[in-house]
Amino acid sequence: MVTVVDVAQRAGVSPTTVSRVLLSPDIVSPGTRSRVLEAVEALGYQPNPMAQGLRMGRGRSVALLVGDIEQSVYSALTKHIQAALEAIGLELLLFNLGHRQDRLRGLLERAAALRLRGICIASSDVIPIRELKPTIQGLVAGGIPVISIGQRLERAGIPSVAHDDTAGVSRAVDYLLESKRGPVAYLGRIKTSAAGRARFQGYRQALQRAGIAVDESLVWESQNRYRYEAGYAEMSEALERGVRVRSVMAASDELALGAMAAALDRDLRVPDDIAIIGFGGVSWGAHVRPALSTIAGNPEALGEHVRGLFQAIEDGRDIPLRSSVELKLVLRQSS
Amino acid sequence: MVTVVDVAQRAGVSPTTVSRVLLSPDIVSPGTRSRVLEAVEALGYQPNPMAQGLRMGRGRSVALLVGDIEQSVYSALTKHIQAALEAIGLELLLFNLGHRQDRLRGLLERAAALRLRGICIASSDVIPIRELKPTIQGLVAGGIPVISIGQRLERAGIPSVAHDDTAGVSRAVDYLLESKRGPVAYLGRIKTSAAGRARFQGYRQALQRAGIAVDESLVWESQNRYRYEAGYAEMSEALERGVRVRSVMAASDELALGAMAAALDRDLRVPDDIAIIGFGGVSWGAHVRPALSTIAGNPEALGEHVRGLFQAIEDGRDIPLRSSVELKLVLRQSS
DNA sequence: ACGATTTCAGTTATCGTTACCATTCAAGCA
DNA sequence: TGCTTGAATGGTAACGATAACTGAAATCGT
């Protein structure tokens, strides 16, 4: 492998100068600079990141701790974060949490030794933040920024970038209300997570604006996470009970699909008998029949924000504790 | 941060001994060893990976070059590969190719400088292998193994682990034939990729075993990759033409879903009028109505194989140029 | 035209670890 | 006993890069 010394020899300068040309070109005279650059080019020199990392006290990789890469929300996010980091010359070290808290803890403890450039936590699972806070503060104090994506952790002092769930759901419920189909039900977990609360809050806000009181029999609080079966079960149950409902705002696309399947299995027509809007904007939503209307996330914008944050960090600027990204309402066949 | 020197002082030995305890414990006397271990424990020492990497000439990270992490095949694979690598103390550096050849090339060229432990290419896209071969050979010669996952590149000398597509499709077509519904169509790209050829080969083998000649009007060669719209278009067209067909073997789940939608849109019943089996085993296949029968991949087994390969590499053993993983036929409602 | 300041490049030390060689000491053997 | 052999450990020099310091030349102001 070709090293700084090789380049230096070829350019007739010292290794330091080579380093300078690469890191802060403006403090080197134009003549020397171009000679060095030429040598770099000719020899195909690429700095050894481990030597750099050792010397500078930190590497070029950012760890992404993701809830479950297999879920499309996370894989989409991962894709854009990777692109965003690559755009500013950083690498993505991927760790799949698989929804296990102990792994998060362990990873966070290893992080300092890894000399990471930063840590992104992208998980919608409940994070034992109280317990983790000292570890995280230690990391931040040691120069390793920790940010949360998709889950608001700003109250714990962790810069967070997330979608504005309340506004998104609110807009979708507005739409369902405007179509004047009758009662709108809400399907999703509410109390178990901040995101759940935020989404439900959007539902309440929309009803409130329309001057409608929340009917408890139309709030179906699914217990079994955000999965398909729960949606199917809740919808089936409501239909069994004979609840009068013309549209459903589901807090996830899986739930929505489950609810839709339950309705279809009972020979109800979607959207004629029941309109359904999901949340998440997963790609398969467009391919099921009827195609699922949904409140889609904007992973690209999320990625851009992350890029902005890291760029700010690199430049030594302060970063905001809270940033929001707008969701968008994607209307397809189901509503 | 605590270093070897700190540990050495506390244990009353030299840094060399500490290093030895950690890397080859058996050449240190039990007494010293336990004293060192105790000091490591007490101080919470964690080796600096960059210093190690610099000294030893390579790091602990493996790059995964993935076609498109957003596709569930790849995200599932990524998940298991990450777990497999972590199990042997390696880290996963993720790069999303986004189906762009130039990126693959660029990444491969940067790889040597990154001092990677290895490179996994997981892409079903056409790889300009002839052009890339010298670069890859350079990497291998430089001690960085390159392996392919999901695409057979063994003819180019690249160790590959992939599903046995031919056997999988063959088994599924056997099943469709056995149900005696009549003509079985094949839907998918054939000539454009080795995987396409392998899958089609499975179709041919099954027909051949059953003593049936391949009917060209039942072979629908979709041009537009493996996507939904292509499936929809091909199926529609065949139906328009009045082709007599009772079941469809689709080379991807997206194609299958497209074909299914086309059939459904023409008021045909699935599986009663037309049975459909897809390929890929994506998770949403279970959630669409009717639930999609499919030939499912086995990403976990793939991950295990990769772990085996890297373990072998670490141990200095030779690795096989070709390994296969069995697909499994998942029968749901559509067949 | 002379000292003060700036610009530019080189020298040296260091980041934390491990490989190589040297050293010590005990055991084995004739 | 004296010599070889081996096990166990320590000293030191790298790995490849950069930061702090140093020195020389160039620029500046008056």
Side-chain angles (χ1 to χ4, degrees), chain A residues 14 16-17 20 28-29 32 54-55:
Chain A
S14 78
T16 307
T17 303
R20 275 196 277 249
V28 177
S29 74
T32 324
L54 173 59
R55 182 64 241 239

PDB file of all heavy atoms in Angstrom, chain A residues 14 16-17 20 28-29 32 54-55, chain C residues 8-16:
ATOM      1  N   SER A  14       7.765  16.973   2.580  1.00  0.00           N
ATOM      2  CA  SER A  14       7.721  16.127   3.773  1.00  0.00           C
ATOM      3  C   SER A  14       6.321  15.537   3.927  1.00  0.00           C
ATOM      4  O   SER A  14       5.349  16.083   3.400  1.00  0.00           O
ATOM      5  CB  SER A  14       8.048  16.944   5.004  1.00  0.00           C
ATOM      6  OG  SER A  14       6.932  17.707   5.384  1.00  0.00           O
ATOM      7  N   THR A  16       4.369  15.640   6.331  1.00  0.00           N
ATOM      8  CA  THR A  16       3.470  16.623   6.929  1.00  0.00           C
ATOM      9  C   THR A  16       2.771  17.455   5.860  1.00  0.00           C
ATOM     10  O   THR A  16       1.571  17.719   5.944  1.00  0.00           O
ATOM     11  CB  THR A  16       4.264  17.558   7.848  1.00  0.00           C
ATOM     12  OG1 THR A  16       5.007  16.761   8.772  1.00  0.00           O
ATOM     13  CG2 THR A  16       3.345  18.479   8.594  1.00  0.00           C
ATOM     14  N   THR A  17       3.540  17.865   4.885  1.00  0.00           N
ATOM     15  CA  THR A  17       2.963  18.700   3.831  1.00  0.00           C
ATOM     16  C   THR A  17       1.880  17.952   3.074  1.00  0.00           C
ATOM     17  O   THR A  17       0.831  18.509   2.763  1.00  0.00           O
ATOM     18  CB  THR A  17       4.070  19.159   2.874  1.00  0.00           C
ATOM     19  OG1 THR A  17       5.052  19.851   3.638  1.00  0.00           O
ATOM     20  CG2 THR A  17       3.522  20.077   1.814  1.00  0.00           C
ATOM     21  N   ARG A  20      -1.097  17.959   5.089  1.00  0.00           N
ATOM     22  CA  ARG A  20      -1.705  19.292   5.073  1.00  0.00           C
ATOM     23  C   ARG A  20      -2.496  19.540   3.790  1.00  0.00           C
ATOM     24  O   ARG A  20      -3.603  20.076   3.820  1.00  0.00           O
ATOM     25  CB  ARG A  20      -0.638  20.355   5.249  1.00  0.00           C
ATOM     26  CG  ARG A  20      -0.327  20.611   6.714  1.00  0.00           C
ATOM     27  CD  ARG A  20       0.413  21.900   6.904  1.00  0.00           C
ATOM     28  NE  ARG A  20       1.839  21.709   6.672  1.00  0.00           N
ATOM     29  CZ  ARG A  20       2.772  21.766   7.626  1.00  0.00           C
ATOM     30  NH1 ARG A  20       2.431  22.017   8.873  1.00  0.00           N
ATOM     31  NH2 ARG A  20       4.032  21.580   7.350  1.00  0.00           N
ATOM     32  N   VAL A  28      -1.324  25.627   2.345  1.00  0.00           N
ATOM     33  CA  VAL A  28      -0.150  25.200   1.565  1.00  0.00           C
ATOM     34  C   VAL A  28      -0.094  26.053   0.295  1.00  0.00           C
ATOM     35  O   VAL A  28      -1.134  26.362  -0.287  1.00  0.00           O
ATOM     36  CB  VAL A  28      -0.274  23.707   1.202  1.00  0.00           C
ATOM     37  CG1 VAL A  28       0.889  23.271   0.333  1.00  0.00           C
ATOM     38  CG2 VAL A  28      -0.354  22.854   2.455  1.00  0.00           C
ATOM     39  N   SER A  29       1.104  26.413  -0.114  1.00  0.00           N
ATOM     40  CA  SER A  29       1.215  27.253  -1.307  1.00  0.00           C
ATOM     41  C   SER A  29       0.748  26.488  -2.542  1.00  0.00           C
ATOM     42  O   SER A  29       0.946  25.280  -2.640  1.00  0.00           O
ATOM     43  CB  SER A  29       2.655  27.703  -1.494  1.00  0.00           C
ATOM     44  OG  SER A  29       3.432  26.620  -1.956  1.00  0.00           O
ATOM     45  N   THR A  32       3.245  23.945  -4.332  1.00  0.00           N
ATOM     46  CA  THR A  32       3.456  22.700  -3.603  1.00  0.00           C
ATOM     47  C   THR A  32       2.191  21.842  -3.652  1.00  0.00           C
ATOM     48  O   THR A  32       2.249  20.639  -3.886  1.00  0.00           O
ATOM     49  CB  THR A  32       3.774  22.998  -2.125  1.00  0.00           C
ATOM     50  OG1 THR A  32       4.546  24.192  -2.053  1.00  0.00           O
ATOM     51  CG2 THR A  32       4.524  21.855  -1.506  1.00  0.00           C
ATOM     52  N   LEU A  54      -6.562   6.524  14.584  1.00  0.00           N
ATOM     53  CA  LEU A  54      -5.738   6.410  15.786  1.00  0.00           C
ATOM     54  C   LEU A  54      -5.157   7.766  16.172  1.00  0.00           C
ATOM     55  O   LEU A  54      -5.261   8.214  17.311  1.00  0.00           O
ATOM     56  CB  LEU A  54      -4.594   5.422  15.543  1.00  0.00           C
ATOM     57  CG  LEU A  54      -3.561   5.309  16.640  1.00  0.00           C
ATOM     58  CD1 LEU A  54      -4.214   4.876  17.953  1.00  0.00           C
ATOM     59  CD2 LEU A  54      -2.467   4.326  16.266  1.00  0.00           C
ATOM     60  N   ARG A  55      -4.577   8.406  15.178  1.00  0.00           N
ATOM     61  CA  ARG A  55      -3.940   9.686  15.444  1.00  0.00           C
ATOM     62  C   ARG A  55      -4.957  10.765  15.867  1.00  0.00           C
ATOM     63  O   ARG A  55      -4.754  11.501  16.813  1.00  0.00           O
ATOM     64  CB  ARG A  55      -3.196  10.123  14.180  1.00  0.00           C
ATOM     65  CG  ARG A  55      -2.432  11.429  14.273  1.00  0.00           C
ATOM     66  CD  ARG A  55      -1.320  11.314  15.297  1.00  0.00           C
ATOM     67  NE  ARG A  55      -1.519  12.276  16.349  1.00  0.00           N
ATOM     68  CZ  ARG A  55      -0.642  13.218  16.680  1.00  0.00           C
ATOM     69  NH1 ARG A  55       0.518  13.281  16.092  1.00  0.00           N
ATOM     70  NH2 ARG A  55      -0.911  14.051  17.631  1.00  0.00           N
TER      71      ARG A  55
ATOM     72  P    DC C   8       1.454  30.875   2.116  1.00  0.00           P
ATOM     73  OP1  DC C   8       1.365  31.048   0.656  1.00  0.00           O
ATOM     74  OP2  DC C   8       0.239  30.579   2.903  1.00  0.00           O
ATOM     75  O5'  DC C   8       2.543  29.761   2.402  1.00  0.00           O
ATOM     76  C5'  DC C   8       3.786  29.835   1.700  1.00  0.00           C
ATOM     77  C4'  DC C   8       4.769  28.896   2.347  1.00  0.00           C
ATOM     78  O4'  DC C   8       4.943  29.244   3.733  1.00  0.00           O
ATOM     79  C3'  DC C   8       4.341  27.424   2.346  1.00  0.00           C
ATOM     80  O3'  DC C   8       5.178  26.752   1.415  1.00  0.00           O
ATOM     81  C2'  DC C   8       4.572  26.957   3.781  1.00  0.00           C
ATOM     82  C1'  DC C   8       5.384  28.087   4.401  1.00  0.00           C
ATOM     83  N1   DC C   8       5.182  28.310   5.857  1.00  0.00           N
ATOM     84  C2   DC C   8       6.286  28.202   6.718  1.00  0.00           C
ATOM     85  O2   DC C   8       7.385  27.909   6.250  1.00  0.00           O
ATOM     86  N3   DC C   8       6.103  28.413   8.050  1.00  0.00           N
ATOM     87  C4   DC C   8       4.899  28.728   8.513  1.00  0.00           C
ATOM     88  N4   DC C   8       4.769  28.957   9.829  1.00  0.00           N
ATOM     89  C5   DC C   8       3.765  28.865   7.658  1.00  0.00           C
ATOM     90  C6   DC C   8       3.951  28.638   6.340  1.00  0.00           C
ATOM     91  P    DA C   9       4.806  25.248   0.970  1.00  0.00           P
ATOM     92  OP1  DA C   9       5.217  25.060  -0.435  1.00  0.00           O
ATOM     93  OP2  DA C   9       3.422  24.933   1.394  1.00  0.00           O
ATOM     94  O5'  DA C   9       5.806  24.434   1.892  1.00  0.00           O
ATOM     95  C5'  DA C   9       7.205  24.598   1.656  1.00  0.00           C
ATOM     96  C4'  DA C   9       7.979  23.980   2.797  1.00  0.00           C
ATOM     97  O4'  DA C   9       7.624  24.638   4.036  1.00  0.00           O
ATOM     98  C3'  DA C   9       7.719  22.490   3.012  1.00  0.00           C
ATOM     99  O3'  DA C   9       8.972  21.836   3.086  1.00  0.00           O
ATOM    100  C2'  DA C   9       6.989  22.418   4.343  1.00  0.00           C
ATOM    101  C1'  DA C   9       7.520  23.657   5.053  1.00  0.00           C
ATOM    102  N9   DA C   9       6.615  24.165   6.071  1.00  0.00           N
ATOM    103  C8   DA C   9       5.296  24.471   5.938  1.00  0.00           C
ATOM    104  N7   DA C   9       4.731  24.915   7.040  1.00  0.00           N
ATOM    105  C5   DA C   9       5.767  24.894   7.966  1.00  0.00           C
ATOM    106  C6   DA C   9       5.830  25.249   9.322  1.00  0.00           C
ATOM    107  N6   DA C   9       4.784  25.708  10.017  1.00  0.00           N
ATOM    108  N1   DA C   9       7.019  25.115   9.944  1.00  0.00           N
ATOM    109  C2   DA C   9       8.076  24.658   9.252  1.00  0.00           C
ATOM    110  N3   DA C   9       8.134  24.301   7.963  1.00  0.00           N
ATOM    111  C4   DA C   9       6.939  24.445   7.384  1.00  0.00           C
ATOM    112  P    DG C  10       9.108  20.241   2.972  1.00  0.00           P
ATOM    113  OP1  DG C  10       9.899  19.940   1.761  1.00  0.00           O
ATOM    114  OP2  DG C  10       7.786  19.616   3.172  1.00  0.00           O
ATOM    115  O5'  DG C  10      10.033  19.940   4.244  1.00  0.00           O
ATOM    116  C5'  DG C  10      11.171  20.773   4.482  1.00  0.00           C
ATOM    117  C4'  DG C  10      11.606  20.636   5.921  1.00  0.00           C
ATOM    118  O4'  DG C  10      10.651  21.298   6.784  1.00  0.00           O
ATOM    119  C3'  DG C  10      11.702  19.191   6.417  1.00  0.00           C
ATOM    120  O3'  DG C  10      12.903  19.044   7.166  1.00  0.00           O
ATOM    121  C2'  DG C  10      10.464  19.022   7.291  1.00  0.00           C
ATOM    122  C1'  DG C  10      10.293  20.433   7.850  1.00  0.00           C
ATOM    123  N9   DG C  10       8.934  20.747   8.238  1.00  0.00           N
ATOM    124  C8   DG C  10       7.818  20.755   7.447  1.00  0.00           C
ATOM    125  N7   DG C  10       6.727  21.104   8.082  1.00  0.00           N
ATOM    126  C5   DG C  10       7.159  21.345   9.380  1.00  0.00           C
ATOM    127  C6   DG C  10       6.421  21.752  10.527  1.00  0.00           C
ATOM    128  O6   DG C  10       5.223  21.995  10.619  1.00  0.00           O
ATOM    129  N1   DG C  10       7.245  21.871  11.642  1.00  0.00           N
ATOM    130  C2   DG C  10       8.601  21.631  11.648  1.00  0.00           C
ATOM    131  N2   DG C  10       9.220  21.793  12.814  1.00  0.00           N
ATOM    132  N3   DG C  10       9.301  21.253  10.584  1.00  0.00           N
ATOM    133  C4   DG C  10       8.508  21.135   9.485  1.00  0.00           C
ATOM    134  P    DT C  11      13.392  17.555   7.576  1.00  0.00           P
ATOM    135  OP1  DT C  11      14.784  17.453   7.118  1.00  0.00           O
ATOM    136  OP2  DT C  11      12.390  16.547   7.116  1.00  0.00           O
ATOM    137  O5'  DT C  11      13.356  17.581   9.168  1.00  0.00           O
ATOM    138  C5'  DT C  11      13.577  18.805   9.876  1.00  0.00           C
ATOM    139  C4'  DT C  11      13.422  18.548  11.374  1.00  0.00           C
ATOM    140  O4'  DT C  11      12.087  18.935  11.795  1.00  0.00           O
ATOM    141  C3'  DT C  11      13.616  17.100  11.829  1.00  0.00           C
ATOM    142  O3'  DT C  11      14.340  17.102  13.041  1.00  0.00           O
ATOM    143  C2'  DT C  11      12.185  16.587  11.978  1.00  0.00           C
ATOM    144  C1'  DT C  11      11.439  17.840  12.428  1.00  0.00           C
ATOM    145  N1   DT C  11      10.000  17.911  12.028  1.00  0.00           N
ATOM    146  C2   DT C  11       9.063  18.346  12.952  1.00  0.00           C
ATOM    147  O2   DT C  11       9.326  18.660  14.076  1.00  0.00           O
ATOM    148  N3   DT C  11       7.780  18.387  12.474  1.00  0.00           N
ATOM    149  C4   DT C  11       7.344  18.052  11.200  1.00  0.00           C
ATOM    150  O4   DT C  11       6.165  18.145  10.889  1.00  0.00           O
ATOM    151  C5   DT C  11       8.374  17.596  10.301  1.00  0.00           C
ATOM    152  C7   DT C  11       8.016  17.192   8.905  1.00  0.00           C
ATOM    153  C6   DT C  11       9.641  17.545  10.743  1.00  0.00           C
ATOM    154  P    DT C  12      14.760  15.756  13.778  1.00  0.00           P
ATOM    155  OP1  DT C  12      15.979  16.062  14.559  1.00  0.00           O
ATOM    156  OP2  DT C  12      14.734  14.630  12.812  1.00  0.00           O
ATOM    157  O5'  DT C  12      13.548  15.580  14.798  1.00  0.00           O
ATOM    158  C5'  DT C  12      13.197  16.667  15.666  1.00  0.00           C
ATOM    159  C4'  DT C  12      11.987  16.284  16.492  1.00  0.00           C
ATOM    160  O4'  DT C  12      10.771  16.415  15.715  1.00  0.00           O
ATOM    161  C3'  DT C  12      12.004  14.845  17.023  1.00  0.00           C
ATOM    162  O3'  DT C  12      11.726  14.905  18.399  1.00  0.00           O
ATOM    163  C2'  DT C  12      10.904  14.144  16.230  1.00  0.00           C
ATOM    164  C1'  DT C  12       9.944  15.298  15.977  1.00  0.00           C
ATOM    165  N1   DT C  12       9.027  15.152  14.813  1.00  0.00           N
ATOM    166  C2   DT C  12       7.726  15.600  14.939  1.00  0.00           C
ATOM    167  O2   DT C  12       7.292  16.102  15.951  1.00  0.00           O
ATOM    168  N3   DT C  12       6.955  15.430  13.812  1.00  0.00           N
ATOM    169  C4   DT C  12       7.351  14.862  12.608  1.00  0.00           C
ATOM    170  O4   DT C  12       6.554  14.775  11.678  1.00  0.00           O
ATOM    171  C5   DT C  12       8.719  14.415  12.550  1.00  0.00           C
ATOM    172  C7   DT C  12       9.235  13.791  11.297  1.00  0.00           C
ATOM    173  C6   DT C  12       9.479  14.574  13.640  1.00  0.00           C
ATOM    174  P    DA C  13      11.878  13.606  19.316  1.00  0.00           P
ATOM    175  OP1  DA C  13      12.739  13.947  20.458  1.00  0.00           O
ATOM    176  OP2  DA C  13      12.168  12.416  18.469  1.00  0.00           O
ATOM    177  O5'  DA C  13      10.363  13.510  19.843  1.00  0.00           O
ATOM    178  C5'  DA C  13       9.680  14.719  20.192  1.00  0.00           C
ATOM    179  C4'  DA C  13       8.212  14.417  20.391  1.00  0.00           C
ATOM    180  O4'  DA C  13       7.553  14.310  19.099  1.00  0.00           O
ATOM    181  C3'  DA C  13       7.918  13.116  21.129  1.00  0.00           C
ATOM    182  O3'  DA C  13       6.836  13.359  22.014  1.00  0.00           O
ATOM    183  C2'  DA C  13       7.536  12.140  20.013  1.00  0.00           C
ATOM    184  C1'  DA C  13       6.848  13.072  19.027  1.00  0.00           C
ATOM    185  N9   DA C  13       6.896  12.641  17.623  1.00  0.00           N
ATOM    186  C8   DA C  13       7.931  12.053  16.948  1.00  0.00           C
ATOM    187  N7   DA C  13       7.677  11.803  15.687  1.00  0.00           N
ATOM    188  C5   DA C  13       6.375  12.272  15.513  1.00  0.00           C
ATOM    189  C6   DA C  13       5.510  12.318  14.403  1.00  0.00           C
ATOM    190  N6   DA C  13       5.837  11.860  13.197  1.00  0.00           N
ATOM    191  N1   DA C  13       4.281  12.854  14.577  1.00  0.00           N
ATOM    192  C2   DA C  13       3.946  13.315  15.789  1.00  0.00           C
ATOM    193  N3   DA C  13       4.671  13.335  16.904  1.00  0.00           N
ATOM    194  C4   DA C  13       5.887  12.796  16.700  1.00  0.00           C
ATOM    195  P    DT C  14       6.468  12.255  23.096  1.00  0.00           P
ATOM    196  OP1  DT C  14       6.158  12.972  24.346  1.00  0.00           O
ATOM    197  OP2  DT C  14       7.458  11.159  23.051  1.00  0.00           O
ATOM    198  O5'  DT C  14       5.092  11.704  22.479  1.00  0.00           O
ATOM    199  C5'  DT C  14       4.019  12.608  22.233  1.00  0.00           C
ATOM    200  C4'  DT C  14       2.978  11.895  21.409  1.00  0.00           C
ATOM    201  O4'  DT C  14       3.461  11.713  20.061  1.00  0.00           O
ATOM    202  C3'  DT C  14       2.616  10.502  21.922  1.00  0.00           C
ATOM    203  O3'  DT C  14       1.293  10.539  22.396  1.00  0.00           O
ATOM    204  C2'  DT C  14       2.770   9.591  20.715  1.00  0.00           C
ATOM    205  C1'  DT C  14       2.826  10.564  19.545  1.00  0.00           C
ATOM    206  N1   DT C  14       3.593  10.108  18.364  1.00  0.00           N
ATOM    207  C2   DT C  14       3.018  10.257  17.119  1.00  0.00           C
ATOM    208  O2   DT C  14       1.913  10.745  16.955  1.00  0.00           O
ATOM    209  N3   DT C  14       3.782   9.807  16.074  1.00  0.00           N
ATOM    210  C4   DT C  14       5.043   9.236  16.148  1.00  0.00           C
ATOM    211  O4   DT C  14       5.622   8.879  15.133  1.00  0.00           O
ATOM    212  C5   DT C  14       5.591   9.116  17.478  1.00  0.00           C
ATOM    213  C7   DT C  14       6.942   8.504  17.661  1.00  0.00           C
ATOM    214  C6   DT C  14       4.843   9.547  18.512  1.00  0.00           C
ATOM    215  P    DC C  15       0.786   9.367  23.368  1.00  0.00           P
ATOM    216  OP1  DC C  15       0.461   9.994  24.663  1.00  0.00           O
ATOM    217  OP2  DC C  15       1.710   8.215  23.316  1.00  0.00           O
ATOM    218  O5'  DC C  15      -0.553   8.918  22.651  1.00  0.00           O
ATOM    219  C5'  DC C  15      -1.479   9.845  22.068  1.00  0.00           C
ATOM    220  C4'  DC C  15      -2.272   9.121  21.005  1.00  0.00           C
ATOM    221  O4'  DC C  15      -1.515   9.126  19.791  1.00  0.00           O
ATOM    222  C3'  DC C  15      -2.511   7.657  21.336  1.00  0.00           C
ATOM    223  O3'  DC C  15      -3.791   7.535  21.946  1.00  0.00           O
ATOM    224  C2'  DC C  15      -2.466   6.957  19.986  1.00  0.00           C
ATOM    225  C1'  DC C  15      -1.786   7.967  19.042  1.00  0.00           C
ATOM    226  N1   DC C  15      -0.496   7.517  18.441  1.00  0.00           N
ATOM    227  C2   DC C  15      -0.309   7.585  17.058  1.00  0.00           C
ATOM    228  O2   DC C  15      -1.237   7.970  16.345  1.00  0.00           O
ATOM    229  N3   DC C  15       0.882   7.207  16.529  1.00  0.00           N
ATOM    230  C4   DC C  15       1.873   6.793  17.337  1.00  0.00           C
ATOM    231  N4   DC C  15       3.028   6.452  16.765  1.00  0.00           N
ATOM    232  C5   DC C  15       1.704   6.722  18.753  1.00  0.00           C
ATOM    233  C6   DC C  15       0.522   7.082  19.252  1.00  0.00           C
ATOM    234  P    DG C  16      -3.870   6.760  23.339  1.00  0.00           P
ATOM    235  OP1  DG C  16      -5.207   6.998  23.892  1.00  0.00           O
ATOM    236  OP2  DG C  16      -2.669   7.041  24.150  1.00  0.00           O
ATOM    237  O5'  DG C  16      -3.781   5.229  22.889  1.00  0.00           O
ATOM    238  C5'  DG C  16      -4.847   4.685  22.141  1.00  0.00           C
ATOM    239  C4'  DG C  16      -4.474   3.295  21.696  1.00  0.00           C
ATOM    240  O4'  DG C  16      -3.308   3.373  20.857  1.00  0.00           O
ATOM    241  C3'  DG C  16      -4.110   2.343  22.825  1.00  0.00           C
ATOM    242  O3'  DG C  16      -4.890   1.180  22.645  1.00  0.00           O
ATOM    243  C2'  DG C  16      -2.618   2.093  22.663  1.00  0.00           C
ATOM    244  C1'  DG C  16      -2.425   2.333  21.185  1.00  0.00           C
ATOM    245  N9   DG C  16      -1.105   2.799  20.792  1.00  0.00           N
ATOM    246  C8   DG C  16      -0.269   3.655  21.476  1.00  0.00           C
ATOM    247  N7   DG C  16       0.854   3.904  20.848  1.00  0.00           N
ATOM    248  C5   DG C  16       0.755   3.170  19.671  1.00  0.00           C
ATOM    249  C6   DG C  16       1.673   3.039  18.600  1.00  0.00           C
ATOM    250  O6   DG C  16       2.782   3.576  18.457  1.00  0.00           O
ATOM    251  N1   DG C  16       1.197   2.206  17.606  1.00  0.00           N
ATOM    252  C2   DG C  16      -0.033   1.561  17.644  1.00  0.00           C
ATOM    253  N2   DG C  16      -0.343   0.804  16.601  1.00  0.00           N
ATOM    254  N3   DG C  16      -0.899   1.671  18.651  1.00  0.00           N
ATOM    255  C4   DG C  16      -0.438   2.485  19.619  1.00  0.00           C
TER     256       DG C  16
END
